[in-house]
Amino acid sequence: EPEVTQTPSHQVTQMGQEVILRCVPISNHLYFYWYRQILGQKVEFLVSFYNNEISEKSEIFDDQFSVERPDGSNFTLKIRSTKLEDSAMYFCASFYDRVGTEAFFGQGTRLTVV
Amino acid sequence: SQQGEEDPQALSIQEGENATMNCSYKTSINNLQWYRQNSGRGLVHLILIRSNEREKHSGRLRVTLDTSKKSSSLLITASRAADTASYFCATVPSANSKLTFGKGITLSVRP
């Protein structure tokens, strides 16, 4: 069964450093999302991406965050200057044909900022 | 906020019993989805119910939707220890909107 793959599974970084979280969505999917989940808390929407541009972003997704699809397959989330409060699980999700259908989530990247 | 709110926050039952989890939301929806998350893992889609549907089944899962009450329930019948996980409802306000998740319900099934 096709799956969404995220790397790395765990990233530890110093506060102020830049991190790039990577996702390989399912190959024929067109809509891509990043969500995050602070330990034990709700799953929060960060950003949606379609047709090589951001279609929607949340208040959390400020100037320190960026997304891109550099090579038509990978989908990346960059956090430019990490803060302690960025520590969370980050999930990538992709959708088959349009938003509002079943989402396929990756296993997540656990980001720990120290 | 469109966010779904699950109830109860935690549920502990004996293996073989049924588990019922509820979700309420505030505004109209295109569809509502239930996801499962094992500890420290990703979210796995369980079932999607559209606004014009009232009930759906998938194996041991039964989902109902009452749009007049803005609520949904997820029933897991004949629970197993392996059903132990967190369960989230997620709402989609319109056909091109993002999923918005509730806080989740922690289900523990005792062997």
Side-chain angles (χ1 to χ4, degrees):
Chain A
E1 186 173 318
E3 60 180 15
V4 175
T5 306
Q6 289 186 243
T7 55
S9 57
H10 192 187
Q11 173 94 43
V12 181
T13 189
Q14 295 271 348
M15 190 169 56
Q17 294 294 304
E18 174 182 288
V19 294
I20 297 176
L21 310 183
R22 292 183 168 79
C23 169
V24 179
I26 295 171
S27 62
N28 60 345
H29 285 194
L30 301 175
Y31 298 84
F32 314 111
Y33 283 63
W34 284 100
Y35 285 83
R36 79 173 185 189
Q37 185 181 33
I38 295 171
L39 185 63
Q41 298 188 27
K42 63 183 179 181
V43 179
E44 300 175 296
F45 167 75
L46 291 177
V47 66
S48 58
F49 193 84
Y50 168 71
N51 200 24
N52 289 320
E53 60 182 25
I54 291 173
S55 49
E56 188 175 358
K57 60 183 180 180
S58 73
E59 292 175 355
I60 302 168
F61 195 88
D62 60 22
D63 291 344
Q64 70 166 146
F65 292 92
S66 63
V67 290
E68 63 176 6
R69 202 160 182 234
D71 56 10
S73 60
N74 290 288
F75 178 49
T76 63
L77 174 69
K78 181 190 292 185
I79 309 175
R80 259 179 279 282
S81 179
T82 50
K83 306 170 191 168
L84 294 176
E85 54 264 37
D86 294 328
S87 295
M89 281 287 282
Y90 288 81
F91 293 105
C92 171
S94 70
F95 290 77
Y96 175 56
D97 53 3
R98 63 183 177 86
V99 179
T101 54
E102 175 186 353
F104 290 80
F105 280 81
Q107 291 299 309
T109 293
R110 179 172 298 283
L111 176 66
T112 303
V113 183
V114 297
Chain B
S1 163
Q2 174 58 50
Q3 177 175 341
E5 295 290 338
E6 295 94 342
D7 166 58
Q9 290 188 330
L11 181 61
S12 181
I13 59 174
Q14 199 73 35
E15 200 165 33
E17 294 180 338
N18 295 341
T20 300
M21 292 167 270
N22 302 302
C23 170
S24 60
Y25 56 91
K26 292 187 170 63
T27 63
S28 62
I29 58 170
N30 173 275
N31 67 77
L32 183 145
Q33 304 179 30
W34 285 91
Y35 287 80
R36 168 194 167 124
Q37 184 183 36
N38 284 31
S39 180
R41 308 283 286 175
L43 294 142
V44 175
H45 179 266
L46 295 176
I47 199 163
L48 180 155
I49 187 164
R50 300 190 187 282
S51 60
N52 61 352
E53 297 174 313
R54 292 296 165 258
E55 186 172 315
K56 281 188 85 168
H57 296 256
S58 177
R60 293 184 296 114
L61 304 181
R62 174 178 167 251
V63 170
T64 62
L65 179 65
D66 186 336
T67 52
S68 66
K69 294 181 179 177
K70 294 186 170 56
S71 68
S72 172
S73 67
L74 171 68
L75 169 67
I76 303 175
T77 59
S79 63
R80 306 166 182 167
D83 294 328
T84 295
S86 292
Y87 292 81
F88 294 85
C89 73
T91 53
V92 180
S94 63
N96 291 314
S97 301
K98 62 184 183 289
L99 282 169
T100 301
F101 287 86
K103 295 180 182 177
I105 298 169
T106 301
L107 174 65
S108 299
V109 182
R110 303 185 301 274

